[in-house]
Amino acid sequence: MTLAAPGARTGDRSGVRRRGVLRRRASAQPGAARAAGRSRPATIAVRAAGALVGLVFLLPFYYVVVTSLNSRSASASLSAILLPHWHWSNYARAWDSEPWARFFLNTVLIGSATTALVLVTSLLAGFAFGVMRFRGRNALFLLVLSVLMVPTTVLLIPDYVIATDINWLNTYWIQIIPFGASVFRIFLIRQFFLGLPTELFDAAELDGAGRLRMLWYIGVPMVRPALLVVGLNTFMASWNSFLWPLIMTTSPGVQPIEVGVSSFAGADGTDFTAMCAAVTFTTIPVLILFLSLQRQFITGAMAATGGVRG
């Protein structure tokens, strides 16, 4: 009997294993190709659905832009809805009818101040409810959340009476201070703090750091995505505010742009072409702001819901 050398047997076994791996790879390649072939139609279907949804959301804005470029007599016809007639004079008429420069200045001032206040109050309250431990924390937080159950329209008359008593009607204060704190945004920041590891704050406390120091050097950098979502959302909400300033203000010197847009609707009728022109040039700035911060906004929204930590 002839015995093979140990090295030869080892080489044979390694060759067999290598051939087995190659066979498995070869058999797996058709399956991967079939999976890729199946995923391609699904990807196309998802993209087509996304494009369709985006088109549905763009149609109202397209209608406003087309109407702003049509004549008054043709604004109700089907052809005017589909294609503009390029009446750029509507924009000049709309701009000259109201002090839009003052409206824009008021809106930016009110929105910036409101956003700054909301960021500060949401950060402090969210840190207190999410990180600090004190007696009655959960009960106090539930009390704060109960404010969400009160409809804002129910409080319009009492708020108007209070604003009259403190002489805040027709001022910037009445448009900023009541919106300087938001329960929903406090809830969002608090949830984000609850998702952070408590060991970071415990270690900082052992090192002698105070609450404000922990908030500034640990809390703020880690909740920056949520703060971005809160800031952008608050500014856009302030930009689109209409009912509150309409009731609480009467002078164009302190009114925002949404109240200026409503001036085209009067007892003698509504100038739709000029109103649509005003809506167009008052929407473009906030649209540019949102598109420029779109990536950060999406990242922040995903981080705030637990999808990404950034």
Side-chain angles (χ1 to χ4, degrees):
M1 180 182 296
T2 303
L3 299 176
R9 290 198 298 270
T10 304
D12 293 341
R13 285 195 294 269
S14 63
V16 171
R17 285 196 298 270
R18 189 178 298 110
R19 288 193 294 271
V21 171
L22 292 176
R23 290 194 194 98
R24 286 194 297 270
R25 290 180 178 177
S27 61
Q29 286 178 357
R34 287 194 297 270
R38 288 194 299 267
S39 63
R40 184 172 300 174
T43 303
I44 295 175
V46 170
R47 291 180 179 178
L52 181 62
V53 172
L55 181 63
V56 170
F57 278 97
L58 283 176
L59 280 177
F61 186 68
Y62 174 79
Y63 172 77
V64 169
V65 174
V66 170
T67 304
S68 69
L69 294 172
N70 286 323
S71 61
R72 296 187 186 183
S73 59
S75 59
S77 62
L78 180 61
S79 61
I81 295 176
L82 298 177
L83 295 174
H85 293 174
W86 310 111
H87 287 267
W88 295 102
S89 59
N90 295 333
Y91 284 84
R93 190 176 78 256
W95 183 267
D96 294 336
S97 62
E98 296 292 337
W100 291 106
R102 185 66 187 184
F103 287 152
F104 273 103
L105 179 62
N106 295 337
T107 305
V108 172
L109 175 62
I110 295 169
S112 301
T114 304
T115 302
L117 281 177
V118 168
L119 286 175
V120 172
T121 55
S122 300
L123 184 62
L124 293 175
F127 180 80
F129 289 123
V131 177
M132 297 176 61
R133 294 173 176 82
F134 53 90
R135 187 183 299 248
R137 182 184 68 169
N138 294 332
L140 183 59
F141 183 67
L142 289 177
L143 181 62
V144 173
L145 284 181
S146 65
V147 177
L148 289 175
M149 295 185 292
V150 181
T152 55
T153 53
V154 175
L155 302 175
L156 282 176
I157 295 178
D159 289 340
Y160 186 87
V161 173
I162 295 174
T164 304
D165 293 338
I166 61 178
N167 296 321
W168 272 15
L169 286 181
N170 208 36
T171 62
Y172 289 122
W173 300 111
I174 195 60
Q175 303 177 74
I176 297 174
I177 301 300
F179 302 97
S182 170
V183 176
F184 174 74
R185 293 166 180 85
I186 291 174
F187 171 79
L188 180 63
I189 300 298
R190 181 245 189 192
Q191 294 302 113
F192 203 92
F193 272 118
L194 288 177
L196 298 179
T198 57
E199 292 81 4
L200 294 174
F201 300 101
D202 294 338
E205 188 175 5
L206 290 176
D207 290 340
R211 299 294 186 185
L212 291 179
R213 192 177 183 87
M214 285 191 292
L215 174 62
W216 182 254
Y217 288 102
I218 299 177
V220 172
M222 299 195 74
V223 300
R224 187 178 291 115
L227 292 177
L228 178 61
V229 173
V230 167
L232 185 57
N233 182 266
T234 303
F235 186 83
M236 294 181 66
S238 178
W239 187 282
N240 295 322
S241 179
F242 170 69
L243 182 60
W244 182 269
L246 179 66
I247 295 175
M248 298 297 176
T249 61
T250 57
S251 172
V254 295
Q255 288 177 333
I257 57 174
E258 294 298 328
V259 179
V261 171
S262 66
S263 63
F264 293 99
D268 298 332
T270 301
D271 188 353
F272 284 105
T273 55
M275 177 182 287
C276 290
V279 169
T280 302
F281 63 67
T282 56
T283 304
I284 288 176
V286 70
L287 184 63
I288 294 175
L289 175 65
F290 179 79
L291 291 178
S292 62
L293 299 176
Q294 180 183 13
R295 184 181 298 274
Q296 293 82 354
F297 181 79
I298 295 175
T299 303
M302 294 178 64
T305 55
V308 176
R309 281 285 183 258

